[in-house]
């Protein structure tokens, strides 16, 4: 007798955006827009009309700190009619040497999807290879795909369709920058990256992007990257796990987004930041609190975007 649920298709993992085609990504972003519009004026805990996660549980494992990802996934699952179990990796047997593959096999028998925030991207890939339920990348050293959907949602709310527009990334060519590179081809936007050579994006990401037809330029001068852009995007100069703090602060200092830099962007350009922000480092108070900043919409959109991602993982959205 076998009482375990049988999986007939490969699970829909949400780990690397470059693996997803343009139609799938567009459907997820459209669903995020629709889900946000459908619940205007509702209390945060009210369940969506379609409740696509009814009877489903999401496990979340954190190897690193989190505010937005943790709260937004929890709120998202509640709004979709499902439930969550949250754990810190160091509290699990993972912290005492149980393998990631065995952990994946066990959790696949207990929950319907797993979100992991991992130190190493390989941990996510190893977990997904052994899991029989969808695995979602809640940030790794290499990428942050959930944030990317929320960012594009905020951009489109304020500036209209992203296709054909120019986005300027300023600062460290880090995991967030990688996620923008990963979808530039599918969403059809131009990406200009301003960074010092020491902190340029991964060559593998750039090479894959070029093969996919992504329009990506690298500049050393932030003013050149920002000139006429429809969005200016910054992130911390010191990501979780980075150790060369002093070197980063010194090398990245010319890449601060201030009012002068913003003035080179297109009229109506928005400022994006995934948060947490380090005011006075990568961005000034005047910009992040100014009229072009849409960072609070961006943060709220983590809930709406993740609902669309979860619904896709559970079999919806094309
Ligand atoms: N932007 C983001 O992922 O925030 P947290 O680290 O707080 O989850
Ligand atoms: N690049 C940052 C993003 C935090 C949400 C980090 O990895 O720490």
């Amino acid at each position: 007798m076998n009482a375990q649920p049988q999986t007939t298709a490969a699970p829909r993992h949400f780990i690397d955006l470059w693996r997803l085609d343009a139609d799938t990504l567009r459907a997820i972003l459209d669903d995020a827009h629709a889900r946000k519009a459908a619940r205007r004026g509702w209390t945060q805990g009210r369940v969506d009309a379609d409740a696509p996660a009814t009877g489903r549980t999401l496990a979340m494992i954190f190897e690193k700190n989190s505010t937005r990802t943790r709260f937004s996934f929890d709120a998202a699952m509640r709004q979709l009619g499902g439930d969550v179990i949250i754990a810190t990796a160091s509290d699990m047997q993972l912290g005492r040497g149980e393998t990631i593959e065995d952990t994946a096999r066990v959790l696949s028998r207990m929950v319907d999807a797993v979100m992991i925030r991992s130190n190493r991207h390989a941990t996510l890939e190893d977990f997904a290879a052994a899991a029989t339920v969808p695995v979602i990348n809640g940030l790794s050293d290499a990428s942050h795909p959930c944030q990317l959907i929320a960012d594009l949602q905020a951009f489109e709310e304020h500036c209209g369709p992203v296709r054909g527009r120019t986005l300027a990334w300023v600062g460290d060519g880090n995991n967030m920058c990688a996620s923008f590179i990963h979808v530039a081809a599918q969403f059809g936007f131009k990406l200009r990256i301003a960074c010092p050579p020491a902190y340029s994006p991964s060559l593998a990401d750039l090479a894959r992007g070029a093969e996919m037809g992504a329009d990506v330029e690298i500049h050393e001068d932030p003013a050149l990257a920002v000139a006429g852009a429809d969005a200016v995007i910054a992130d911390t100069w010191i990501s979780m796990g980075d150790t060369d703090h002093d070197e980063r602060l010194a090398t990245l200092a010319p890449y601060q987004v201030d009012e002068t830099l913003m003035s080179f962007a297109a009229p109506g350009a928005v400022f994006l930041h995934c948060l947490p922000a380090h005011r006075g480092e990568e961005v000034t108070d005047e910009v992040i609190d100014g009229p072009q900043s849409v960072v609070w919409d961006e943060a709220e959109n983590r809930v709406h975007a993740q609902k669309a991602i979860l619904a896709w993982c559970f079999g919806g959205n094309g």
Side-chain angles (χ1 to χ4, degrees), residues 199-224:
Y199 299 113
S200 64
S202 116
L203 290 178
D205 282 332
L206 291 171
R208 189 191 311 103
E211 259 175 50
M212 292 169 70
D215 187 351
V216 180
E217 290 173 10
I218 308 277
H219 296 268
E220 259 190 75
D221 181 351
L224 287 179

Side-chain angles (χ1 to χ4, degrees), residues 6 13 15 25 65 104 119 188 215 217 242-243 273 280 282:
Q6 298 296 308
H13 299 311
I15 294 178
L25 287 165
N65 298 55
N119 290 316
D215 187 351
E217 290 173 10
D242 286 338
T243 49
H273 191 307
E282 73 271 8

Side-chain angles (χ1 to χ4, degrees), residues 65-70 117 144 147 240 274-276 302:
N65 298 55
S66 171
T67 298
R68 279 143 289 270
T69 304
R70 179 177 177 144
R117 170 164 284 195
H144 196 3
Q147 180 73 52
M240 292 179 277
C274 67
L275 305 178
R302 293 297 302 280

Side-chain angles (χ1 to χ4, degrees), residues 64 68-69 117 139-141 144 147 172 174-176 235-236 238-241 274-276 302:
K64 312 196 207 203
R68 279 143 289 270
T69 304
R117 170 164 284 195
L139 181 146
S140 74
D141 56 339
H144 196 3
Q147 180 73 52
D172 183 16
N174 64 10
N175 47 2
M176 271 305 303
D235 186 14
T236 180
I238 303 172
S239 286
M240 292 179 277
C274 67
L275 305 178
R302 293 297 302 280

Side-chain angles (χ1 to χ4, degrees), residues 234 237 255-258 271 273 277-288:
W237 291 337
Y255 293 83
Q256 182 182 69
V257 178
D258 59 13
F271 172 74
H273 191 307
H278 299 77
R279 292 159 176 267
E281 292 180 14
E282 73 271 8
V283 63
T284 60
D285 285 336
E286 290 72 24
V287 170
I288 196 167

Side-chain angles (χ1 to χ4, degrees), residues 59-297:
M60 289 192 250
I61 304 173
F62 288 93
E63 288 186 345
K64 312 196 207 203
N65 298 55
S66 171
T67 298
R68 279 143 289 270
T69 304
R70 179 177 177 144
F71 280 80
S72 58
F73 264 109
D74 198 331
M77 277 301 282
R78 289 165 198 244
Q79 291 182 8
L80 293 176
D83 217 332
V84 295
I85 301 171
I86 305 178
T88 305
S90 56
D91 292 339
M92 297 170 62
Q93 295 290 8
L94 277 170
R96 297 181 59 247
E98 186 168 19
T99 69
I100 198 76
E101 290 84 358
D102 287 355
T103 308
R105 292 179 190 110
V106 170
L107 293 191
S108 293
R109 302 291 187 101
M110 296 179 180
V111 298
D112 302 286
V114 181
M115 186 236 79
I116 308 178
R117 170 164 284 195
S118 66
N119 290 316
R120 292 169 51 254
H121 196 70
T123 303
L124 272 162
E125 289 173 336
D126 293 345
F127 191 102
T132 54
V133 297
V135 175
I136 300 171
N137 175 357
L139 181 146
S140 74
D141 56 339
S143 55
H144 196 3
C146 297
Q147 180 73 52
L148 197 284
I149 303 296
D151 289 11
L152 293 185
Q153 183 176 6
F155 178 86
E156 292 199 334
E157 285 167 349
H158 291 272
C159 302
V162 73
R163 180 163 294 280
R165 311 298 287 278
T166 299
L167 311 187
W169 175 271
V170 181
D172 183 16
N174 64 10
N175 47 2
M176 271 305 303
C177 180
S179 287
F180 277 97
I181 298 169
H182 291 170
V183 295
Q186 299 96 312
F187 279 111
F189 57 80
K190 179 191 269 286
L191 181 62
R192 295 207 204 112
I193 298 167
C195 59
Y199 299 113
S200 64
S202 116
L203 290 178
D205 282 332
L206 291 171
R208 189 191 311 103
E211 259 175 50
M212 292 169 70
D215 187 351
V216 180
E217 290 173 10
I218 308 277
H219 296 268
E220 259 190 75
D221 181 351
L224 287 179
V226 166
D230 300 296
V232 180
I233 313 161
D235 186 14
T236 180
W237 291 337
I238 303 172
S239 286
M240 292 179 277
D242 286 338
T243 49
D244 49 344
H245 293 196
D246 293 346
E247 222 171 298
R248 285 176 163 273
L249 293 179
T251 310
L252 286 156
Y255 293 83
Q256 182 182 69
V257 178
D258 59 13
E259 285 175 304
T260 305
L261 189 63
M262 282 304 293
S263 73
F264 301 139
V270 289
F271 172 74
L272 293 166
H273 191 307
C274 67
L275 305 178
H278 299 77
R279 292 159 176 267
E281 292 180 14
E282 73 271 8
V283 63
T284 60
D285 285 336
E286 290 72 24
V287 170
I288 196 167
D289 297 328
Q292 289 170 285
S293 172
V294 298
V295 300
W296 313 119
D297 291 336

